[in-house]
Amino acid sequence: MKNKRIRGIITLKPACRQAGLRDYKMGSLSVLQYYLSIITRLKLKEIYLVGGSVRDILLKRPLRDIDIAVPSDSLEIAKIFADKIDGNFFVMDEENQVARVIKKAGKKTFQFDFASFKGRDIYEDLSNRDFTVNAMAIKIEAGGLELGEILDPYNGRQDLKDKIIRVIKPEAFSDDPLRMLRGVRLASDFNFEIEEKTAGYIKNHAPSLKTVSSERIRDELFKILRNKRAHYYLLLLDEFNLLKTVLPEIGDMKGMGQGSYHRYDLFTHSIKTVEYAEEVLNNIRLFLPEYTDKIKRHLKIEAEQGIDRLSLLKFAALLHDTGKPSTIKIEDDKISFYQHWTVGAEINKRICRRLAMSSRSEEIVCRITANHMRPLYLAQLYNPPSPPFSKGGKGGFITKRAMYRFFRDAGDAGIEVILLSIADAMATSGRESLDETFTSNWLTKGHENNAATLSSPNASIGDTVLIKPDSRLRHAGMTDLGGFSEQNYKTVAKVARKMVSYFYTEYKRQRRRPLINGAELIKRFRLQPGPVIGRILRDIDEARGAGELKNKKDAINYVRNNLHKWIS
């Protein structure tokens, strides 16, 4: 017996009904069935799974966010349901009768959103939704153990198969302009394309996005950034005129040249930096094989709800050069951007606040921006050393003191800065293949086989830059960089590996276990509490970071020998 389609309804044949939820690979099946059975016990005539729930079921994705539509009284129904399962109840939108129930079941969390029909019946409700892939419904019946008929009046199932995001009607964007951003976000979630007419509607309605709250825009933007091909969908946002509405600062970046070493204008360079950052992260074992797992764990940490460090890295990659338009200076046909990293950090602070981001997220973005040139500057000082790198010194080596100062200033965002520096170098000029980049001699001996782990035989990310330091910036402890030669690009990658190694093997350990504390200094050297104690402790930490102090005895002798410098 074949499935029958009547007026947009797909009736599942008995075998499918008998299989019930199991066919759809819902997470924690027995637990979810239990909750759905409780919903059906409420003795309602009609209960539907709707929207994203149906979409995810058909895509065979784990289902943790469950959207429920009922004819009326959704707030009361949600409250009764929450009481029965001992869940947490929240009114999300009283005017539109939307409530949320959250229930933790072991390590898993289920979210149930209840809403009353928007219209006379379920069909009119579906007509008021945003995209065809979200305008389907499945009736819950038989105690929650089986799924009934699938309502699909707008052929959303076919659009899922064709991997298309299609708006139901143009008015959907007038009703809620955030839907334009959400459409791109959905496309990024599933690697779909935006249907042509829908794209046209978005372009026409793009200015109305300004009427949406910063918090809602922020949430959708960072959901895009969490996905693997965020750079592509950022370009799509730009094509649809949405990006300049969210981030008007990019307007000054478009078409702006950066000098002869830069292949791309500033905006394209910024998008390319996001793209290469994603390539680096997708192939992290090629760049930093010893610390891949640590870095992945680090980037999964959430700075605030819904925003992890990975998405903040991509956000900072897009905005790392926002300071350039206001700092550009041309002398004798040479372009410089003196202190653009400092100016950019201030600009990005304002952007973070405009998007209502947390202080922690703001701090991470600003630290990345303010320090993004430093690994590239350190790469200028580095030549492959012999004897070993760890000894440091003059003659082209990077000292431990320099690395300590970098991580002291960048904090734990130093990892993101280092990853950004590799992508930034790549995004400066032409591409080379990953295979060529990582099978050449620059790889640390013993890691050559990592090149075999490339995600695609045609992947390419390498870009070349030639460093030409500006003496004024060198005097300030930094430099504007032009491009890298191929060899110097590889030097950046080597320096990145050394810096990450220093961070995990020395810097973090030393920060956890100081050699001496302020109370001991006051007692042993009969000092008065005050700012001088902090200065002494900072100098001790730096000397230790430079490898000059090994233990508490060294620290005490260091203070004794230099006390006159601090209290004179």
Side-chain angles (χ1 to χ4, degrees), residues 6 39-40 64 92 151 175 210 250 263 266 306 325 356 394 454 458-459 519 525 568:
I6 304 173
I39 294 175
T40 60
R64 299 279 175 77
M92 305 299 291
L151 281 65
D175 295 341
K210 294 178 181 178
I250 69 165
R263 177 176 178 179
L266 182 55
K394 295 182 179 179
L454 286 173
N458 297 318
F525 295 101
S568 58

Short mmCIF file of all heavy atoms in Angstrom, two decimals, residues 6 39-40 64 92 151 175 210 250 263 266 306 325 356 394 454 458-459 519 525 568:
data_model
loop_
_atom_site.label_atom_id
_atom_site.label_comp_id
_atom_site.label_asym_id
_atom_site.label_seq_id
_atom_site.Cartn_x
_atom_site.Cartn_y
_atom_site.Cartn_z
N ILE A 6 -3.48 13.69 -0.26
CA ILE A 6 -4.79 14.31 -0.50
C ILE A 6 -4.76 15.72 0.08
O ILE A 6 -4.60 15.89 1.29
CB ILE A 6 -5.91 13.50 0.16
CG1 ILE A 6 -5.89 12.05 -0.34
CG2 ILE A 6 -7.26 14.15 -0.10
CD1 ILE A 6 -6.86 11.15 0.37
N ILE A 39 1.23 14.40 26.80
CA ILE A 39 0.51 15.44 26.07
C ILE A 39 -0.83 14.89 25.57
O ILE A 39 -1.87 15.55 25.68
CB ILE A 39 1.36 15.96 24.89
CG1 ILE A 39 2.60 16.70 25.42
CG2 ILE A 39 0.54 16.90 24.01
CD1 ILE A 39 3.56 17.14 24.34
N THR A 40 -0.82 13.68 25.03
CA THR A 40 -2.07 13.12 24.51
C THR A 40 -3.06 12.82 25.63
O THR A 40 -4.28 12.81 25.39
CB THR A 40 -1.81 11.84 23.70
OG1 THR A 40 -1.17 10.86 24.54
CG2 THR A 40 -0.91 12.14 22.51
N ARG A 64 15.31 17.43 19.85
CA ARG A 64 15.30 17.84 21.26
C ARG A 64 14.38 19.04 21.49
O ARG A 64 13.89 19.23 22.59
CB ARG A 64 16.73 18.21 21.70
CG ARG A 64 17.72 17.07 21.58
CD ARG A 64 17.63 16.12 22.75
NE ARG A 64 18.49 14.97 22.58
CZ ARG A 64 19.81 15.00 22.75
NH1 ARG A 64 20.39 16.13 23.13
NH2 ARG A 64 20.53 13.93 22.57
N MET A 92 6.69 32.81 26.79
CA MET A 92 7.60 33.44 25.83
C MET A 92 6.95 34.65 25.16
O MET A 92 7.60 35.65 24.89
CB MET A 92 8.04 32.44 24.76
CG MET A 92 8.67 31.16 25.31
SD MET A 92 10.16 31.50 26.27
CE MET A 92 11.25 32.04 24.96
N LEU A 151 0.81 16.70 7.34
CA LEU A 151 0.20 17.78 6.56
C LEU A 151 1.31 18.59 5.90
O LEU A 151 2.20 19.10 6.59
CB LEU A 151 -0.64 18.68 7.45
CG LEU A 151 -2.04 18.18 7.86
CD1 LEU A 151 -1.96 16.93 8.72
CD2 LEU A 151 -2.79 19.28 8.61
N ASP A 175 5.74 40.64 8.08
CA ASP A 175 5.21 40.28 9.40
C ASP A 175 6.32 40.20 10.45
O ASP A 175 6.12 40.61 11.60
CB ASP A 175 4.49 38.93 9.32
CG ASP A 175 3.25 38.99 8.45
OD1 ASP A 175 2.75 40.12 8.20
OD2 ASP A 175 2.79 37.92 7.99
N LYS A 210 16.22 46.61 10.25
CA LYS A 210 16.60 47.60 11.26
C LYS A 210 15.57 47.70 12.39
O LYS A 210 15.89 48.18 13.47
CB LYS A 210 16.77 48.98 10.61
CG LYS A 210 17.93 49.08 9.64
CD LYS A 210 18.00 50.46 9.01
CE LYS A 210 19.15 50.57 8.02
NZ LYS A 210 19.20 51.91 7.36
N ILE A 250 31.00 47.60 7.72
CA ILE A 250 31.62 46.96 6.55
C ILE A 250 31.52 47.83 5.31
O ILE A 250 32.24 47.62 4.34
CB ILE A 250 31.00 45.59 6.26
CG1 ILE A 250 29.56 45.75 5.75
CG2 ILE A 250 31.08 44.66 7.45
CD1 ILE A 250 29.00 44.52 5.11
N ARG A 263 46.07 41.04 -2.32
CA ARG A 263 45.36 40.72 -3.55
C ARG A 263 43.93 41.25 -3.52
O ARG A 263 43.37 41.60 -4.57
CB ARG A 263 45.35 39.21 -3.74
CG ARG A 263 44.57 38.76 -4.97
CD ARG A 263 44.68 37.27 -5.16
NE ARG A 263 43.90 36.83 -6.30
CZ ARG A 263 43.84 35.56 -6.72
NH1 ARG A 263 44.51 34.64 -6.08
NH2 ARG A 263 43.11 35.23 -7.75
N LEU A 266 39.63 45.28 1.20
CA LEU A 266 39.56 45.00 2.62
C LEU A 266 38.37 44.10 2.98
O LEU A 266 38.49 43.19 3.80
CB LEU A 266 39.48 46.31 3.41
CG LEU A 266 39.44 46.19 4.93
CD1 LEU A 266 40.62 45.39 5.45
CD2 LEU A 266 39.41 47.59 5.56
N GLY A 306 24.48 30.38 23.81
CA GLY A 306 24.33 30.40 22.35
C GLY A 306 25.52 30.95 21.60
O GLY A 306 25.52 30.95 20.36
N PRO A 325 39.97 51.50 7.78
CA PRO A 325 39.45 52.66 7.03
C PRO A 325 39.75 54.00 7.68
O PRO A 325 39.99 54.99 6.97
CB PRO A 325 37.94 52.39 6.99
CG PRO A 325 37.81 50.91 7.04
CD PRO A 325 38.91 50.48 7.98
N ALA A 356 24.20 43.78 21.89
CA ALA A 356 23.82 43.32 23.24
C ALA A 356 24.54 42.04 23.63
O ALA A 356 23.96 41.14 24.24
CB ALA A 356 22.30 43.14 23.33
N LYS A 394 68.93 36.55 20.63
CA LYS A 394 68.94 37.61 19.62
C LYS A 394 68.97 36.97 18.24
O LYS A 394 68.16 36.44 17.78
CB LYS A 394 70.10 38.54 19.84
CG LYS A 394 69.97 39.29 21.14
CD LYS A 394 71.11 40.26 21.33
CE LYS A 394 70.95 41.03 22.62
NZ LYS A 394 72.04 41.97 22.87
N LEU A 454 43.57 15.22 4.90
CA LEU A 454 42.83 16.32 4.29
C LEU A 454 41.39 15.93 4.03
O LEU A 454 41.08 14.83 3.61
CB LEU A 454 43.48 16.72 2.96
CG LEU A 454 44.80 17.48 3.08
CD1 LEU A 454 45.40 17.64 1.70
CD2 LEU A 454 44.56 18.83 3.69
N ASN A 458 40.87 18.33 -3.20
CA ASN A 458 40.96 19.59 -3.93
C ASN A 458 40.97 20.81 -3.02
O ASN A 458 40.90 21.94 -3.48
CB ASN A 458 39.77 19.71 -4.89
CG ASN A 458 39.79 18.61 -5.93
OD1 ASN A 458 40.84 18.29 -6.46
ND2 ASN A 458 38.63 18.01 -6.21
N ALA A 459 41.04 20.57 -1.68
CA ALA A 459 41.02 21.71 -0.75
C ALA A 459 42.24 22.57 -0.95
O ALA A 459 43.31 22.09 -1.27
CB ALA A 459 40.97 21.19 0.68
N ALA A 519 51.36 38.27 50.15
CA ALA A 519 51.53 38.21 51.61
C ALA A 519 52.95 37.82 51.98
O ALA A 519 53.54 38.36 52.93
CB ALA A 519 50.52 37.22 52.19
N PHE A 525 60.03 40.86 53.07
CA PHE A 525 60.81 42.07 52.75
C PHE A 525 60.28 43.30 53.47
O PHE A 525 60.72 44.42 53.20
CB PHE A 525 60.81 42.29 51.24
CG PHE A 525 61.51 41.19 50.47
CD1 PHE A 525 60.78 40.19 49.84
CD2 PHE A 525 62.90 41.15 50.42
CE1 PHE A 525 61.43 39.18 49.14
CE2 PHE A 525 63.55 40.14 49.72
CZ PHE A 525 62.82 39.14 49.09
N SER A 568 62.50 52.59 45.00
CA SER A 568 63.33 53.80 45.00
C SER A 568 62.47 55.04 44.78
O SER A 568 61.42 54.99 44.18
CB SER A 568 64.39 53.70 43.90
OG SER A 568 63.79 53.52 42.64
#
